[in-house]
Amino acid sequence: MALVPYEGFIGGAYRARSTNFNAETCLNLYPETSAVGSSKSVAALYGTPGLALWATLAGNGGIRGEIRFNASTAFVVVGQNVYRLTTAGVSTPIGTVTNSAQPVSMASNGINVIIASAGQLFVIDPAANTVTQVVDPDFQGAGQVGFISGYFVWNVPGTGRAQYSNLYSTAIEPLSLFTAEASPDNGVGCIVDHLEYWYFNETTTEVYTITTDPNQPLQRIQGAVIEHGCAAAYSIAKMDNTVYWLGADDNGQGTVWRATGAYEPQRVSTPAIEFAISQTSDLSGAIAWTYQQESHAFYVLNVGDRTWCYDASVGLWHERAWRDPADGTLHRHRGQCQMAFANKNLVGDWQSGKVYELDLDTYTDNGDLIVSRRTGAFVSARSYHMLQVDFETGVGNAVAPGYDPVALLEWSDDGGHTWSNLHAASIGKVGEYQLRVRWRRLGTPRRFGLSRVFRVTVTDPVKRIMTGAMLDVSA
């Protein structure tokens, strides 16, 4: 027996338009590369965090937004209901906003929290536990809201304008507005980052900064015009010291961009990810959220019924999905928005009032099985005698020590169009740390010279880590 490395088994998601070209999937797994030369392998695949229920809030619909106000208080919007939350997960309803299927945008000036919901603005007074709608004859409507140097600022839907409040106030003056003039298209959304206000149009983006001019405190930075706009307002998010968004311009849409210090965006999506995104015809409903866990920074993008995740630490994409226990089908991840609060990464459910903790030591999505799957790169051989996948074995189940989790193997000899039957192999009861996960007698393709691709799936509620794979083949 001569084992050789299965090159390309560890990697990100890259399922191309033609699976005969590339059929790699990376579902509910994320790659991590080694920072030291003494590691067993140069990269590994880790299971994505499960969802541990942290709080349940009443409301008609899903969680539309959440914000940390200070170390002890957060605010969450569920449908039309606004809740105050403590670090213990205790919730108190304090008011309502205009309901919508779309998320809300929230910002804080340290005194109040302002909410943009369905074109309207609402103000939370944390001291009084009240929610009040902004009623002002000079208010022109609000899409997304941010806070910069004492001012609340928001884009006006259906126009190329933005408005801003008085300093550390929610009052609005008649002339407290400006127009994005790089192109005549309408604004889509906005975000504040590094004391800069990013205004995203349909085909261009402009960046503004605070000045000492009392009549126009927000002015465009000279040369800060980007010839790429935004396809979806709620795809705009901050992560890894910069801004990410799902782009659109005069040439098309569906590219994910990352801002650079020179206002020259860097493309981070791959052709395979852009092909997957293009399967959704209307991208305006795409929603993104970001979080950091251990050494990884993740941009999580929901497009249609699928969720794609970019890991800035390794520059690779993977897919996340929730398995419907009723029929076993896979759908978008449950998370719709995120906040770091109570020393946890908390995400809001897109369909209900549930708030979950993203927990690497939780191996279900609030009790629902997580499907982790890796489809490796193509390999070519005359016969396949054995595949060994280097799992962290002996993980078992601490609650049920006799539990014997398995990994399921399939292969395809026709470019990932059809698959073999499932073949199970144990990944070890608790304490079986030296177990080898192997599948033998894998056969010979019917036509000589056909490339084969292997797919490994784990659904058991256990820790799942793969550090590599080996093959025994006849060339």
Side-chain angles (χ1 to χ4, degrees):
M1 181 175 66
L3 288 173
V4 296
Y6 182 174
E7 302 291 347
F9 182 77
I10 302 296
Y14 201 103
R15 186 176 176 85
R17 174 179 288 273
S18 170
T19 57
N20 294 74
F21 172 58
N22 198 316
E24 291 185 55
T25 60
C26 189
L27 175 66
N28 291 325
L29 296 164
Y30 64 92
E32 179 173 285
T33 56
S34 175
V36 296
S38 58
S39 299
K40 180 180 179 180
S41 58
V42 297
L45 290 174
Y46 285 80
T48 52
L51 299 177
L53 184 63
W54 187 71
T56 301
L57 311 177
N60 182 20
I63 294 184
R64 300 173 58 208
E66 49 190 2
I67 188 172
R68 176 190 179 275
F69 178 65
N70 56 34
S72 61
T73 303
F75 295 99
V76 178
V77 178
V78 186
Q80 66 180 10
N81 298 334
V82 181
Y83 289 89
R84 182 182 188 127
L85 261 69
T86 70
T87 55
V90 177
S91 61
T92 304
I94 62 171
T96 61
V97 297
T98 305
N99 203 354
S100 170
Q102 288 295 310
V104 298
S105 177
M106 307 172 75
S108 170
N109 64 1
I111 304 169
N112 300 110
V113 172
I114 197 165
I115 304 171
S117 177
Q120 303 298 317
L121 279 181
F122 299 83
V123 179
I124 298 175
D125 182 345
N129 266 356
T130 59
V131 179
T132 306
Q133 183 172 352
V134 173
V135 180
D136 190 305
D138 297 311
F139 174 63
Q140 299 183 12
Q144 290 180 298
V145 61
F147 173 76
I148 179 170
S149 296
Y151 299 92
F152 286 120
V153 58
W154 56 89
N155 65 297
V156 179
T159 74
R161 297 189 297 274
Q163 285 189 284
Y164 54 90
S165 69
N166 291 348
L167 196 62
Y168 285 100
S169 171
T170 57
I172 307 166
E173 299 295 333
L175 298 180
S176 295
L177 55 84
F178 57 91
T179 302
E181 298 177 340
S183 64
D185 53 353
N186 290 330
V188 174
C190 62
I191 198 168
V192 174
D193 181 62
H194 287 83
L195 289 178
E196 294 178 342
Y197 176 73
W198 288 64
Y199 188 100
F200 292 86
N201 294 292
E202 295 166 335
T203 60
T204 59
T205 301
E206 302 180 29
V207 187
Y208 294 76
T209 189
I210 290 291
T211 71
T212 57
D213 184 347
N215 297 317
Q216 190 57 270
L218 278 158
Q219 297 183 17
R220 193 176 72 199
I221 298 171
Q222 184 69 29
V225 176
I226 298 170
E227 295 297 326
H228 299 288
C230 183
Y234 287 96
S235 71
I236 307 166
K238 293 192 291 187
M239 182 187 77
D240 194 35
N241 215 33
T242 190
V243 177
Y244 290 73
W245 72 96
L246 180 61
D249 55 38
D250 287 330
N251 297 315
Q253 62 178 356
T255 298
V256 179
W257 298 98
R258 173 172 59 190
T260 68
Y263 306 111
E264 296 177 358
Q266 178 185 13
R267 175 183 175 224
V268 296
S269 52
T270 64
I273 293 298
E274 290 164 13
F275 169 68
I277 290 172
S278 72
Q279 303 310 293
T280 299
S281 57
D282 182 6
L283 298 183
S284 63
I287 298 170
W289 48 277
T290 61
Y291 76 101
Q292 181 176 330
Q293 197 160 40
E294 297 181 348
S295 62
H296 297 263
F298 298 106
Y299 174 78
V300 186
L301 178 64
N302 295 303
V303 182
D305 197 30
R306 300 184 75 175
T307 301
W308 300 98
C309 186
Y310 178 73
D311 182 352
S313 69
V314 295
L316 294 174
W317 289 83
H318 62 273
E319 186 174 5
R320 299 195 183 186
W322 165 71
R323 178 185 180 274
D324 187 340
D327 57 12
T329 56
L330 297 178
H331 302 278
R332 60 177 283 193
H333 188 268
R334 301 301 308 180
Q336 172 154 272
C337 50
Q338 181 273 352
M339 67 176 171
F341 181 64
N343 296 317
K344 305 177 189 296
N345 275 308
L346 300 176
V347 297
D349 192 290
W350 61 269
Q351 197 174 34
S352 72
K354 294 178 180 178
V355 179
Y356 309 105
E357 178 188 359
L358 287 173
D359 183 16
L360 287 167
D361 295 321
T362 295
Y363 306 117
T364 67
D365 283 340
N366 191 30
D368 297 333
L369 293 179
I370 297 174
V371 177
S372 294
R373 177 174 293 147
R374 172 59 184 166
T375 306
F378 283 107
V379 292
S380 295
R382 186 175 71 250
S383 296
Y384 298 88
H385 308 301
M386 186 183 71
L387 170 67
Q388 174 180 304
V389 176
D390 297 328
F391 276 89
E392 179 175 330
T393 56
V395 293
N397 187 313
V399 178
Y403 189 83
D404 191 3
V406 299
L408 303 172
L409 175 69
E410 304 164 271
W411 59 82
S412 174
D413 293 329
D414 59 9
H417 297 283
T418 62
W419 295 88
S420 70
N421 294 328
L422 292 167
H423 303 265
S426 171
I427 55 176
K429 300 177 183 179
V430 171
E432 293 182 340
Y433 302 120
Q434 297 184 10
L435 182 71
R436 292 179 176 176
V437 184
R438 289 176 168 176
W439 293 267
R440 301 178 184 275
R441 297 188 294 275
L442 304 181
T444 301
R446 292 185 178 181
R447 289 182 56 193
F448 177 75
L450 287 178
S451 295
R452 172 174 288 187
V453 62
F454 290 97
R455 182 166 75 182
V456 176
T457 303
V458 178
T459 60
D460 286 301
V462 296
K463 184 178 183 181
R464 61 282 305 266
I465 297 176
M466 291 177 270
T467 59
M470 304 285 284
L471 281 166
D472 179 19
V473 300
S474 296

